Every structure is written in C-alpha cells, then in structure tokens.
Amino acid sequence: MSFVEKIFNNMKGRSKSLNSLSNIKFGRFAEPTETDELYELRTTAEDLYKAGNCLDAYVVFFNYLLLLGGPAVLLSVSEDSSELEFKLLQGSKVVCGTIGDKEVTAESVVAEFTGLNVALMRFLLNRNCQFAYSKFAVKGNSIVIRQRCPIKDLSPQAFSDMLSEIAITADSCDQLLENEFEEIVPVDYENIIPLKSRELKAKIEFLRSWIAECFSLLEKIESESQKSYIVLSCVFKILYLISPEGILLSQFREILDIYMEYSPEEDNFSEVNYKMQEALKKIAAYSDLEIEKSLYKTYCVFPELEYRTFNETAESFSTLLQLPVKCIELRKDSLVIPMCEYIVGYHLYRQGMAAPAMELLLIFWKTLNPEYFTALGFKEVYYDEASKEPFDTKGIMLAVDKINKKYAETYPLFEFNISHVDFSSPTDFAYTFLFEFKNLQITD
C-alpha cells in the first residue's frame, strides 16, 4: 500500500474536528487539551520517525493533524507525481505544500505587490532572522513565506512547528505589511466565512456601545491607573465577545502594545491613557462598512493561544482579584464590574483553558451582558433589570449544575458551588462568581 493510500484509508472516520466553528464566534483559537487519542497519534508518529520509518510517521502525523484541524485540513493526490498535496486554512490565509518520499514543502502567499523598494526588502530580511524554520521570499509579484526540506531531516513534530510558523506568520503579517508599505496589495482567500446578518448587526452595535460606555466611565475617574484598566477592560471584552479580525484586530492589538510599551511607571500613565484613548476614538469613528470588513469567521489549524494549566490560571485570578476588592473598599462600585471583566477578558485573550472553565466564564459574560446575548439570538436571559427578581437564579443554577455533571468524570474534584455566589446585585455577582471560579479544582 502506498504512502498516500495509507493516509486516505486511515482518514476514514476522522472528520470530526476539535476546532469546529460554533454558531457564534468568541475569542481566538486556543490550543485544546490533548486527548488520549491525540497523544497516542503524536507519540506514535515520533516513534516511527526515530525508527527510520519516515513515511509511516507522516501517515500517522496527518491523521493527527486531520483530527485536530478537521475542515481546515484539505488533502489530495497529485496526478503527476502521486505526492500528497495539502492545504491548511489559517485565518484568511492558506498554507499549501507537498509530501513525497524524499522531500516536504510548504508555502503561503502573504501579499502581492506593485513594486519592490529597499525598505520593504530590508523589512523582510530582518524578519527572516526571527524565523526558526521558514523564510520570506519573492515569487513573481507575490511575497511568500516558505520552506522545503528532505523528509529524512524533518521529524513530524518539527514539520508541525514549521507549518505553525508559516501559517500564523502569514495570517498575522499581511495587515502589518499593508499598513507599512503602500505598494502592498492584500490577498484574501475563499476560506473567510461571513457572519450571519443578526450576529453582524449585534456585533457592530455593541462594539460602538461598549466603547461609548468606556469613554463615559472615563470622564468620572481621576486615577490614571484606573483609567488604564477601564480602557483595557473594554479592549479585552471586545476582542473576546466581538472577536474582530483584519484591520480592527490589528488596531485593538496596537492599543495593548501602547500599554505594554509604556507601563508600569506611574509617571507614564497619563501619556499611555491619552494614546490608548486616541486609538480607541479612531476605531469608534469607523463607518459600519469599515467595521463589517473585519467581522468574519475563519478556520484554523494552529492555535494562537497557548493552553495553561488551571492552577496557573487560578493563581493569576487570585492576584488580579485585588482590583475589584480595592474598588469595593474605596466604595467605587461602578468600577467593580469593569475590573472583573478585565480579569476575565485578559485571561481569555492570552491563553487557552479547560472546557469547563470556558463554559463557566460564558455564564459570567451572559449574566453581565444580557442585551448583547439576546441580540445574538441566545434564548436564556440570566439578568433582567426591569424584572422584580432581576436574576434568573434558577436558570443560572441549572446551567452550572449541568456543567458540574458534564465534567464530573473527567475532573473528579471539579465542582462550582453556586451557593457561594451573591445574587444581590450585578456587582456582587461579578466578584463572588470569580472568587468561586478561582477555587475550582481542575486537574490538567
């Protein structure tokens, strides 16, 4: 049986994806917890490669990749050479390549250009020094990132790292090139999936609403350090719940870069806040059409966020929960929810978490932002300010109990005790929910 036949025979029954798209897009693609099946495939591929069975190792590796990436992994056979041809979808970009008995190749078109200048070439050469596996190259009127290597010199794990480097760089670098060099022509692919009209309308509306609320709150605050957290809370909230791509994603990340570059010196907070707010005003001034261009879904194979153990997450939560506690002590209740949303948004933007943790935090978001989730089409409403009993305590308890039961076998010590959550007000709910969250026992 040939190499290609082995792959396609073993592909049967592996169409289910760990990276399947939900109906509503939240956040970035995070590294999933590795199942026993994934672990077995990955280690088997490495063992076969070490034993000198390179092609068999790649057979197992592509089954691993297909299980991980599902519809983002496309395979076919070259009619001319009988080599395996693959396409990997990563955001708006496609990584194409071949696997043969002697050589492997991979390439992604980053952008096209109308002309080359010294500044652009210097930029590409400087970036090449940062890569471990691949290089920028010029191909016709296109800028590509690529690599080719003898199969005997590239283990499946190294091949995976190479593909990840090419895919993530191509997907993230096109906007940077477009912004820096006027001769760059962006290249988009057919794998961009438009949002449904209801989701699109809700996301445009609430992106504007949350930015407006942010500026309204900033007018009432004197502390420059607190102003920073309010802006960051708004940014992280939008990055997770609205989940923009393209230019919008780049602009929100630039706001985070402003903060990271100038803090933590207290004397710099005023300047930091001014620059962040100016960048946020620029986004708020976009037309609906300009915002719409950055709201879409994509398939991904390689995660942008690294998975962290829950112990690490809980420790970080414990440290940051001092923020809302301090607001309560200072009787600045209006800042408690933004501080709590900052904590949740910060972690969801920067790391992957275990599934039960993600599902619990979605309850947190739904409860504090009922209008948004109703606009998206969610039926459950956990908080209604106009009602005599604003909290749907029973509904929240049932949702938490469902999560507890769902993961009881996987995590024997896991239980979110909803009786420890205070339903007196949204403020009380927000910080008591997070205090209970950090006490969870999720053994990774």
Side-chain angles (χ1 to χ4, degrees):
M1 184 182 296
S2 71
F3 165 59
V4 172
E5 288 173 331
K6 284 183 179 180
I7 288 182
F8 278 95
N9 283 340
N10 285 312
M11 277 170 50
K12 296 175 181 177
R14 296 200 184 279
S15 58
K16 186 177 180 180
S17 170
L18 293 177
N19 182 31
S20 60
L21 291 170
S22 60
N23 290 330
I24 304 294
K25 180 188 176 186
F26 298 124
R28 317 302 301 167
F29 177 40
E31 180 182 2
T33 19
E34 190 173 56
T35 63
D36 291 341
E37 185 178 10
L38 283 170
Y39 174 79
E40 183 178 353
L41 287 169
R42 180 172 60 81
T43 55
T44 299
E46 288 300 310
D47 290 342
L48 286 168
Y49 183 81
K50 290 175 183 177
N53 301 320
C54 298
L55 286 178
D56 286 339
Y58 270 79
V59 169
V60 177
F61 169 75
F62 268 96
N63 277 276
Y64 172 88
L65 205 61
L66 191 73
L67 183 60
L68 189 67
V73 180
L74 308 173
L75 304 175
S76 61
V77 182
S78 169
E79 295 181 359
D80 299 328
S81 62
S82 296
E83 292 180 327
L84 178 74
E85 296 179 338
F86 64 85
K87 286 185 179 181
L88 307 179
L89 310 184
Q90 184 76 22
S92 63
K93 294 293 180 279
V94 177
V95 181
C96 300
T98 59
I99 306 293
D101 58 354
K102 296 186 181 298
E103 188 179 61
V104 297
T105 69
E107 175 182 293
S108 181
V109 179
V110 179
E112 294 179 351
F113 55 83
T114 57
L116 287 173
N117 61 42
V118 174
L120 175 56
M121 297 300 290
R122 183 180 293 117
F123 173 88
L124 297 177
L125 286 172
N126 287 339
R127 286 298 294 265
N128 276 347
C129 297
Q130 302 173 19
F131 298 141
Y133 298 97
S134 56
K135 299 294 180 185
F136 276 123
V138 173
K139 185 179 179 180
N141 68 330
S142 298
I143 294 170
V144 302
I145 180 169
R146 64 193 307 187
Q147 186 55 281
R148 61 195 312 137
C149 184
I151 193 170
K152 64 181 179 62
D153 294 335
L154 198 68
S155 71
Q157 181 58 55
F159 181 64
S160 179
D161 292 341
M162 181 186 80
L163 291 176
S164 177
E165 181 177 271
I166 291 174
I168 292 175
T169 300
D171 187 40
S172 62
C173 198
D174 55 348
Q175 292 289 340
L176 176 61
L177 288 170
E178 185 182 354
N179 291 338
E180 291 290 329
F181 305 101
E182 61 181 14
E183 61 268 36
I184 291 296
V185 179
V187 178
D188 291 323
Y189 290 93
E190 68 278 1
N191 51 303
I192 288 178
I193 305 165
L195 303 184
K196 292 183 179 179
S197 58
R198 181 170 188 168
E199 180 180 355
L200 184 63
K201 181 181 178 182
K203 288 191 169 184
I204 293 173
E205 176 188 348
F206 281 86
L207 183 145
R208 294 193 183 284
S209 174
W210 290 335
I211 292 177
E213 288 174 8
C214 173
F215 280 111
S216 177
L217 186 56
L218 287 171
E219 293 176 357
K220 305 172 186 176
I221 301 172
E222 294 182 1
S223 167
E224 292 294 336
S225 62
Q226 289 178 348
K227 286 182 179 180
S228 294
Y229 282 118
I230 297 305
V231 174
L232 293 173
S233 177
C234 176
V235 170
F236 284 129
K237 182 175 182 175
I238 290 172
L239 284 173
Y240 184 73
L241 293 181
I242 305 294
S243 191
E245 299 284 352
I247 293 176
L248 268 185
L249 176 59
S250 297
Q251 301 245 333
F252 278 115
R253 283 176 169 170
E254 285 177 13
I255 296 175
L256 299 180
D257 289 341
I258 291 170
Y259 181 79
M260 294 302 296
E261 181 179 352
Y262 288 95
S263 64
E265 291 84 0
E266 183 69 33
D267 292 342
N268 284 335
F269 272 125
S270 178
E271 181 183 1
V272 170
N273 290 333
Y274 173 78
K275 290 184 176 182
M276 290 197 297
Q277 290 177 56
E278 287 301 301
L280 205 55
K281 287 177 183 177
K282 181 178 178 181
I283 295 172
Y286 283 168
S287 67
D288 286 358
L289 182 59
E290 288 174 309
I291 295 174
E292 181 180 339
K293 289 178 181 178
S294 294
L295 297 180
Y296 51 82
K297 292 190 286 192
T298 59
Y299 291 113
C300 289
V301 178
F302 300 103
E304 298 177 59
L305 309 181
E306 182 181 353
Y307 182 83
R308 300 281 179 84
T309 66
F310 191 77
N311 283 340
E312 294 177 278
T313 302
E315 185 177 347
S316 180
F317 262 76
S318 296
T319 301
L320 290 177
L321 276 168
Q322 297 173 23
L323 294 172
V325 169
K326 186 176 181 180
C327 291
I328 293 169
E329 291 172 351
L330 296 174
R331 297 185 179 180
K332 295 184 177 181
D333 289 354
S334 63
L335 302 184
V336 173
I337 289 177
M339 292 298 180
C340 289
E341 291 189 335
Y342 162 78
I343 295 169
V344 175
Y346 169 86
H347 287 89
L348 289 173
Y349 174 72
R350 295 186 178 274
Q351 67 178 71
M353 298 184 196
M358 297 289 288
E359 292 181 27
L360 285 168
L361 292 179
L362 188 58
I363 293 175
F364 170 90
W365 287 121
K366 286 181 179 180
T367 305
L368 296 177
N369 299 274
E371 296 90 353
Y372 175 61
F373 283 90
T374 298
L376 287 175
F378 284 82
K379 295 181 180 180
E380 59 271 16
V381 179
Y382 293 143
Y383 183 79
D384 182 0
E385 188 177 9
S387 176
K388 290 183 179 180
E389 296 183 3
F391 283 98
D392 179 10
T393 308
K394 183 178 179 181
I396 295 172
M397 287 181 171
L398 287 173
V400 169
D401 186 57
K402 184 178 180 181
I403 295 172
N404 285 337
K405 290 177 179 177
K406 180 179 177 180
Y407 294 100
E409 185 175 344
T410 306
Y411 305 104
L413 299 178
F414 169 79
E415 182 181 8
F416 187 95
N417 193 335
I418 195 65
S419 66
H420 292 167
V421 177
D422 188 343
F423 290 95
S424 300
S425 70
T427 297
D428 294 316
F429 169 85
Y431 75 85
T432 58
F433 188 98
L434 296 190
F435 267 93
E436 178 61 20
F437 179 85
K438 75 176 178 61
N439 292 327
L440 288 172
Q441 297 295 315
I442 300 178
T443 53
D444 300 280

